[in-house]
Amino acid sequence: MSRYDHRPRVLKADPAFPEACAAAIEEGAAILRRGGLVAFPTETVYGLGANALSATAVGRIYTAKGRPSYNPLIVHVNDLDGVRAVVREVPSLAEMLAAEFWPGPLTIVLPKRDVIPDAVTAGLDSVGVRVPSHPVARMLLAAAGLPIAAPSANAFTRVSPTMAAHVIGQLGDAVDLVLDGGPTTVGIESTVIDLTGDRPVLLRLGGIPRDAIERVIGGVLAYVDVVRHADAGEAPRPSPGMIERHYAPHARLVAFGAPQRDEVLRQIAEVVKRGVRVALLAHDVRESQATCAIEMPRSSTAYARTLYAALHTIDERGCEIAFVESVPTDVAWDAVADRLRRAGLSLPGA
Ligand code: TXA
Ligand code: MG
């Protein structure tokens, strides 16, 4: 499955062991300063980082991921001063969101300064900025003394990494160093909101729920609504990266509801008997004969935390089909439902 034959250099970065952690961070910072690539944990997923001020360094990210360069990258900084160094203006709505959600899993798209090369933003005049809360990400930013451009550290269209092992399996030695900070806690990517226009537009559901954002700044438009209601001639603001079917495992995903459980268990038993490798992702996996049965949590935040690891496991176990129990239609599950859809699951509301 790996695109590369060699393992990258991997260092543990566990703040519980301050000396080893500081040494690992220092090595990562030195690599970033000389234009290299460092994969590092954030609270959402692992990022594949490069010096955001260097077009050459950033170019290596696209090569390592096999990602088309029309897809803009998120720039990570440690505080609002770091944000001001890379954007032309911080509108009051951004300040309100920053006060409430930073450091944390929210990315805000703002007008970019010239110091940010086009390679970062895919030629757009705006840049997505985020202040992460993960201690390793924060220490790396402080030690490097640079803004860090970082997409999720997966190969293009593959499932985002929530553990160092996922990065190693997908990117191999295309990355100079992997800082292993253990499993991430949020588990899905940051929420992305665009504040460059007249009205805020939610570009990607993620770690911060939409209703939490609306409690702070009032109503926001969803990108799909902007596209749907755009008049002829009034082109929607471009959001590259929104169209692709991301986060996809190899297996075909099949949704089922709790009432169909017995029928699904029967089907699984039958298909497994024929030698097909089958996965089951459900709240209750007792008595299943699936090749790979993964018990999924009942709370949306715990589900988000474990979802990508489950999708990675399905791939590792070579499953061809995965039966996935539907999740609630409640708003709290919006981001999880979005990621399940992008993984290829047919759910209502697509
Ligand atoms: O949680 C996260 O956001 C992770 C961690 C590493 O921070 N990063 C991440 O990056 O998910 P990535 O590259 O996989 O997704 C970034 C997405 C782009 O695909 C695009 O949809 C949006 O953010 N984006 C970034 N800059 C943008 C811009 N200037 N205009 C519109 N959308 C932008
Ligand atoms: Mg990504």
Side-chain angles (χ1 to χ4, degrees):
M1 217 177 82
S2 172
R3 298 173 60 237
Y4 298 88
D5 296 334
H6 302 288
R7 271 175 63 92
R9 180 162 164 72
V10 182
L11 290 174
K12 282 249 184 284
D14 182 349
F17 300 92
E19 263 175 50
C21 188
I25 299 275
E26 211 29 76
E27 185 168 332
I31 290 171
L32 290 173
R33 281 192 298 262
R34 57 170 191 265
L37 297 186
V38 177
F40 64 99
T42 79
E43 68 278 23
T44 58
V45 299
Y46 274 72
L48 177 61
N51 176 1
L53 305 178
S54 160
T56 321
V58 166
R60 296 190 57 209
I61 293 178
Y62 291 98
T63 313
K65 278 186 67 111
R67 168 165 166 153
S69 53
Y70 57 75
N71 221 335
L73 308 176
I74 292 171
V75 172
H76 299 72
V77 294
N78 253 351
D79 50 34
L80 220 41
D81 283 344
V83 170
R84 290 201 176 87
V86 297
V87 309
R88 295 199 296 277
E89 55 164 315
V90 179
S92 58
L93 291 187
E95 277 178 359
M96 289 156 77
L97 290 173
E100 188 71 22
F101 301 116
W102 278 348
L106 179 70
T107 295
I108 307 181
V109 175
L110 294 169
K112 83 171 186 76
R113 279 192 196 276
D114 291 342
V115 286
I116 296 297
D118 283 347
V120 171
T121 63
L124 296 174
D125 188 41
S126 60
V127 61
V129 286
R130 176 160 113 75
V131 177
S133 65
H134 196 291
V136 171
R138 300 188 63 74
M139 287 188 278
L140 185 64
L141 282 162
L146 293 165
I148 301 177
S152 48
N154 50 293
F156 183 55
T157 77
R158 305 307 309 168
V159 179
S160 294
T162 54
M163 305 184 219
H166 298 157
V167 182
I168 297 162
Q170 290 194 36
L171 298 182
D173 63 1
V175 35
D176 299 305
L177 174 67
V178 178
L179 292 174
D180 181 354
T184 63
T185 51
V186 176
I188 55 172
E189 297 83 350
S190 62
T191 300
V192 181
I193 189 163
D194 181 350
L195 294 184
T196 60
D198 299 335
R199 303 247 337 244
V201 180
L202 196 61
L203 296 180
R204 179 174 74 182
L205 296 164
I208 303 287
R210 176 179 181 160
D211 54 329
I213 289 175
E214 294 191 321
R215 272 198 293 277
V216 177
I217 59 167
V220 300
L221 297 170
Y223 184 66
V224 281
D225 296 332
V226 176
V227 175
R228 221 171 269 158
H229 298 141
D231 300 325
E234 187 203 333
R237 268 176 270 166
S239 180
M242 294 304 293
I243 331 106
E244 281 97 348
R245 187 183 126 171
H246 269 188
Y247 322 120
H250 291 287
R252 189 163 63 85
L253 268 49
V254 180
F256 72 94
Q260 295 149 292
R261 184 172 186 276
D262 289 347
E263 170 59 19
V264 165
L265 289 190
R266 208 184 48 71
Q267 276 185 38
I268 290 176
E270 215 167 87
V271 180
V272 166
K273 215 183 293 162
R274 294 209 305 265
V276 179
R277 300 180 71 81
V278 182
L280 172 66
L281 267 61
H283 295 317
D284 177 1
V285 296
R286 280 173 301 175
E287 288 156 39
S288 115
Q289 293 175 40
T291 319
C292 164
I294 305 176
E295 191 180 316
M296 299 303 291
R298 288 182 189 276
S299 95
S300 58
T301 48
Y303 194 107
R305 190 177 304 136
T306 53
L307 175 60
Y308 288 168
L311 297 178
H312 280 284
T313 304
I314 295 173
D315 271 351
E316 281 154 20
R317 300 291 306 275
C319 294
E320 293 162 55
I321 309 173
F323 289 92
V324 182
E325 185 173 352
S326 304
V327 297
T329 48
D330 188 280
V331 286
W333 288 82
D334 276 357
V336 163
D338 170 76
R339 297 310 189 269
L340 284 171
R341 263 185 232 112
R342 286 166 189 260
L345 193 71
S346 294
L347 286 171

